[in-house]
Amino acid sequence: MKRALLVLILILAGLNPAKADVPASIAIIDTGFNAALYPNNVVAEACFVEYFTCPNGKTSMEGAGASAIPTLKSDSLNHGTQMASVVNSVNPTAKLVLIRIVGVTGGGLQSIYTNKAVKMALDWVSANRVKYNISVVNVSQGAIFANCGVPDGTAAVVASLKSFNVPVIAATGNNSNRTAINSIACLPDVVSVGATDNPDPGISGKPYDKNAKPYIARYSNGDSTVDFYLNGRWYVTNYNGTVKFMAGTSNATASLSAWWLLNRKDSFDSTYNWLVSSSIPASNEWLSGKYIALP
């Protein structure tokens, strides 16, 4: 009787007793992944594509190999693996749930996709949150749409995850827009992340100077609603294991996702407020916001 009552209380509180036995994980929703690069971190894989197919020949797949890209001849398909490498750099012990949302043509090129695929991935995350103890969701994908347009139900699933203390953290985008940010980052319950870029513009290829005054990148989309800005300059790992320099809000977002998991408190608000308290001001000629420096 006491055990049943305890379970009921935990469920009502948005917790689950099974979580104690499952390490907390980050779900990364992106183009596709080389899971073999992180054999000790990956705990689950899934795939949801609108065009072409997952490795099983269907438009959805769960299980080992689901996030893989069979033939890669488009540099953009490296993106998911690159984000996993940023997460791993900040939090090497983080468990990863890899979710591919982009189809691949027969010639190995990236197919088009929309936020419908992101919504399908978020629905899967919501359904499997307890099973894999998904504690953070990273979405370094998206585009600007009028009035923060997203598929029906997207805001609801994000709000539901937040109610269970699972943040959806998304990139603002790299279009130099000073009045709008990417969907889904523009949703009020999403933690939106822009990038800083110092000491020089991202195209310079210079590594990040942690001692320089934080400067919001000129390429970073941003407005008054952006939650945080982080370093956008990273050396990332490609699908084939090679390393390259890259700058963008995607990197900043992945780093915050890893940092959130590493420092999460007992609630969404507690973690968010701790991040705010640890931030310092950042700005450029058009924008200002909260900058978080990672060690």
Side-chain angles (χ1 to χ4, degrees):
M1 180 67 181
K2 289 183 178 179
R3 168 65 179 173
L5 179 60
L6 175 61
V7 171
L8 177 60
I9 292 172
L10 289 168
I11 291 173
L12 290 174
L15 305 172
N16 189 292
K19 283 189 174 184
D21 303 321
V22 181
S25 66
I26 295 178
I28 307 177
I29 299 172
D30 219 291
T31 58
F33 304 85
N34 183 353
L37 293 175
Y38 305 102
N40 299 320
N41 301 80
V42 177
V43 295
E45 296 179 70
C47 173
F48 305 95
V49 297
E50 299 171 83
Y51 306 99
F52 296 92
T53 63
C54 300
N56 64 352
K58 301 178 181 179
T59 56
S60 65
M61 178 181 174
E62 297 180 42
S67 71
I69 300 172
T71 305
L72 189 153
K73 293 184 179 179
S74 174
D75 183 63
S76 59
L77 290 170
N78 283 302
H79 196 269
T81 304
Q82 292 165 347
M83 295 307 100
S85 75
V86 173
V87 168
N88 186 257
S89 294
V90 175
N91 187 351
T93 63
K95 299 303 180 182
L96 307 177
V97 176
L98 306 178
I99 308 175
R100 175 182 150 195
I101 58 167
V102 175
V104 182
T105 70
L109 301 177
Q110 177 177 323
S111 173
I112 61 172
Y113 77 98
T114 71
N115 276 328
K116 178 182 178 182
V118 175
K119 167 65 164 51
M120 290 189 289
L122 288 171
D123 286 340
W124 184 88
V125 167
S126 181
N128 290 275
R129 173 184 62 83
V130 172
K131 181 178 181 180
Y132 298 114
N133 196 1
I134 298 173
S135 301
V136 177
V137 182
N138 185 91
V139 185
S140 293
Q141 293 287 321
I144 293 175
F145 293 96
N147 302 313
C148 191
V150 294
D152 290 346
T154 304
V157 69
V158 169
S160 175
L161 288 167
K162 181 180 178 181
S163 74
F164 289 110
N165 301 322
V166 180
V168 176
I169 303 176
T172 62
N174 305 321
N175 310 106
S176 301
N177 195 310
R178 280 103 195 185
T179 59
I181 62 177
N182 279 3
S183 299
I184 63 170
C186 53
L187 291 174
D189 287 321
V190 170
V191 179
S192 55
V193 183
T196 57
D197 193 23
N198 51 22
D200 299 299
I203 57 173
S204 71
K206 294 182 180 179
Y208 193 75
D209 181 357
K210 64 183 178 62
N211 296 314
K213 180 181 178 180
Y215 181 86
I216 296 175
R218 291 179 176 87
Y219 61 75
S220 181
N221 295 345
D223 60 21
S224 62
T225 68
V226 175
D227 291 288
F228 300 107
Y229 291 88
L230 283 84
N231 166 30
R233 307 166 74 88
W234 284 82
Y235 287 96
V236 299
T237 304
N238 294 320
Y239 197 91
N240 64 3
T242 59
V243 176
K244 66 176 285 187
F245 175 84
M246 190 170 80
T249 59
S250 291
N251 298 335
T253 301
S255 68
L256 180 63
S257 293
W259 191 241
W260 186 297
L261 185 69
L262 196 61
N263 295 279
R264 67 193 180 108
K265 314 303 178 187
D266 58 358
S267 70
F268 177 102
D269 288 341
S270 294
T271 308
Y272 186 92
N273 291 336
W274 177 81
L275 289 168
V276 171
S277 69
S278 65
S279 69
I280 62 174
S283 62
N284 61 17
E285 296 90 330
W286 311 276
L287 301 168
S288 61
K290 295 181 286 291
Y291 166 73
I292 297 175
L294 301 187

